[in-house]
Amino acid sequence: MNEDFNILLTKLRRFKRKYYLNQLLKGMIISLLMIISLFIIIGVFEYFLWTDSLVRTIFFYLFSVFSLVVLFRFVFISIAKLLSLGKQISYDQAAKIIGSHFPEISDKLLNAIQLQSLAMEMDSKYVGLISAGIEQKTIELKPFSFRKAISFKSNLKYLKWLVTPLIIILITLIISPAFVTDPVNRIVNYKEKFSKPLPYTFKLLNDSLKVVQGDNFQLNVEVIGDEIPDQLYISDGKYEYRMQSDNGNIYSYTFKKLKNDLYFALKTEVLESDKYLLKVLARPAISNFKIEIDYPGYIGKKTELVENTGDLIIPEGSSLKWQIFARNSKELNFISKEGSETLNSENNVFEITKTLVNNFTYSIYSKSPDNIFSDTISYAITTIKDAKPLIDIDNIEQEYLLKYLLVNGTITDDYGFSNLFFYYRKDKSKEWNKLPLSISTQYEKQNFNHSFSTEDIQLRAGEEFEYFYEIWDNDAVNGYKNARSAVMTFNMPDKKDLEQKVDSAGSKLKDRYENSLESFEEINKQIEQMQENLFEKKEADWSDKKKIKDLLKKEKEIRESMYE
């Protein structure tokens, strides 16, 4: 094979490459034309007919398979041959194609190729003659560029057909994108259910579809469109409820005292919307509570537990522990003059402890995880202040002859006492002397008796001393409080005063003795008269016996009074 023929083969290979490149370009244009045409046909069909899921499934797979077949036939095969994969056109076929473009060299090119094939099969004695013929034809073909036999411009006629549907799609996307995107979306999502739009649509006017358990919920719907349905209904799957038209295209319906979540749809004679969920939020509530009252220790009262009673009367200084049971609550707010305290719990049980010394008002409410608030409950607690003790002097006996003072008194307090003191002094310029007295600390009211010998302070005739009593309570909250009696005076009489008191006492004793003798003589006369009457009767009846008994008793009393 001579060098000129090798050049000829190189030119043929370049021609074949351009040939397949042209085939690829033409195939791409034809493929796009066919795919876009089918896309438009299916899209228009789906846009107007709103086919069901089965038909859209067929459209989806038909379009997918068709696109793959067309691309394989017109694009992938050309790419493979361009990459020298698979069977390509022969040199003879390439020569015929070139000859159709250059008729003057058609036979020469084909003869040169055939002679080369013949030279490879002939005996060597004829090769020289054949090679001379090949060389002559190769020289004649050398001026021609075989690649010019292929023109990319030949594809313009196909490109014109492609531009038209592309322009249609582009204009449609600008003017009305939904005409293209809506059917594409429905076909791609062929498993989903799509409803053909009517001349009107529904718009919920409520901000949210949530309601607190037990409350009413008014659903407001606006109908938007060129046509308005005569009636609009709510369907819960079992029953249908007619909505009220408030203002032309505005409809409303009130759900009463909802307890559970509700699924519903809006429905007319020709349309039923997708289902909506009306979410019912659990209402928080305070179900009950307990208060453990720990009284101040000095009161001596045991810890007490009260239930569901928030209004209390308690001694000041008591410690209260609330245990509040709620429902559907994550927080509880405890509000008082001290401020608002937020209690958290995972089990709907909340606890708080306070020690109260003043009147206390408070309110409580809980909050659910959905930020729903319960009703507020308010209570008032009255604290009883520890009162001051009281002391009353009931009786004072001053025995001058025996030289002692005897005092009887009463002490009173709400919770008991700590100390009772006796204060006295002879000289007003001196400090008071203090003497503790024995009392019971447990009883709230008790009497005390106190005797004091004047000899202890060497009180002489004509002298005096002052005294008073002081009682202390057991208030451990505010500190012990005291009360004092009035200051009293004990005057020791002198000798003259004592003699007058003795004479006065003797005179009184003599008068009492004489009166007793007179009474005694009168009784004796009555007894003697009674004896005479009985002697005459010879037998005493019940009335007589009673009179005798009464006279004897009276006689005994007179005798005893004479010796006192």
Side-chain angles (χ1 to χ4, degrees), residues 203-212 216-221 234 243 253 255 258 260-266 273-281:
K203 179 182 178 182
L204 298 185
L205 301 180
N206 300 81
D207 294 334
S208 69
L209 293 178
K210 294 180 180 180
V211 61
V212 180
N216 297 338
F217 181 84
Q218 179 172 309
L219 178 68
N220 299 311
V221 178
I234 290 177
M243 299 187 71
Y253 180 81
F255 297 96
L258 290 165
N260 300 304
D261 293 347
L262 177 68
Y263 286 92
F264 68 91
L266 302 175
S273 71
D274 294 332
K275 289 188 178 296
Y276 297 96
L277 172 60
L278 179 55
K279 186 72 174 176
V280 177
L281 305 177

Side-chain angles (χ1 to χ4, degrees), residues 320-502:
L320 277 65
K321 179 181 180 181
W322 284 265
Q323 190 175 35
I324 303 170
F325 301 90
R327 296 193 307 269
N328 307 314
S329 303
K330 69 172 183 178
E331 291 183 4
L332 184 133
N333 286 75
F334 192 98
I335 305 171
S336 65
K337 291 183 179 179
E338 299 174 358
S340 179
E341 299 177 64
T342 300
L343 311 178
N344 297 290
S345 174
E346 298 295 332
N347 59 355
N348 289 307
V349 180
F350 304 87
E351 293 185 353
I352 186 172
T353 301
K354 288 186 176 296
T355 300
L356 304 182
V357 294
N358 296 308
N359 292 342
F360 186 74
T361 58
Y362 66 99
S363 302
I364 54 176
Y365 66 87
S366 63
K367 184 171 73 172
S368 72
D370 297 307
N371 294 324
I372 306 300
F373 296 92
S374 70
D375 294 334
T376 300
I377 307 175
S378 299
Y379 297 101
I381 298 177
T382 302
T383 57
I384 302 175
K385 297 294 183 179
D386 193 306
K388 290 184 65 176
L390 299 175
I391 182 169
D392 293 315
I393 305 301
D394 302 325
N395 186 42
I396 301 174
E397 294 185 13
Q398 298 180 354
E399 294 295 341
Y400 305 106
L401 297 177
L402 299 178
K403 297 182 180 180
Y404 73 88
L405 171 69
L406 179 62
V407 178
N408 298 321
T410 303
I411 52 176
T412 306
D413 189 60
D414 42 10
Y415 300 117
F417 310 95
S418 57
N419 292 290
L420 175 63
F421 296 103
F422 173 68
Y423 290 85
Y424 64 93
R425 65 183 179 184
K426 280 175 54 177
D427 189 347
K428 292 184 179 181
S429 62
K430 298 290 184 65
E431 294 292 331
W432 290 94
N433 298 300
K434 181 179 178 181
L435 180 66
L437 304 180
S438 176
I439 56 171
S440 173
T441 59
Q442 298 178 353
Y443 299 105
E444 290 82 8
K445 184 176 183 179
Q446 55 186 289
N447 298 322
F448 69 92
N449 300 311
H450 176 229
S451 62
F452 182 74
S453 175
T454 58
E455 292 184 349
D456 292 344
I457 57 174
Q458 298 178 354
L459 188 66
R460 293 186 293 271
E463 294 182 336
E464 64 179 17
F465 76 94
E466 294 179 317
Y467 64 95
F468 68 89
Y469 293 88
E470 182 182 59
I471 184 66
W472 289 83
D473 69 4
N474 59 351
D475 187 353
V477 175
N478 304 298
Y480 295 165
K481 300 183 293 296
N482 69 318
R484 291 182 176 183
S485 69
V487 177
M488 295 163 283
T489 304
F490 182 96
N491 296 303
M492 178 63 76
D494 55 17
K495 184 176 181 181
K496 182 180 180 180
D497 291 334
L498 286 174
E499 289 176 352
Q500 290 178 353
K501 290 181 181 293
V502 171

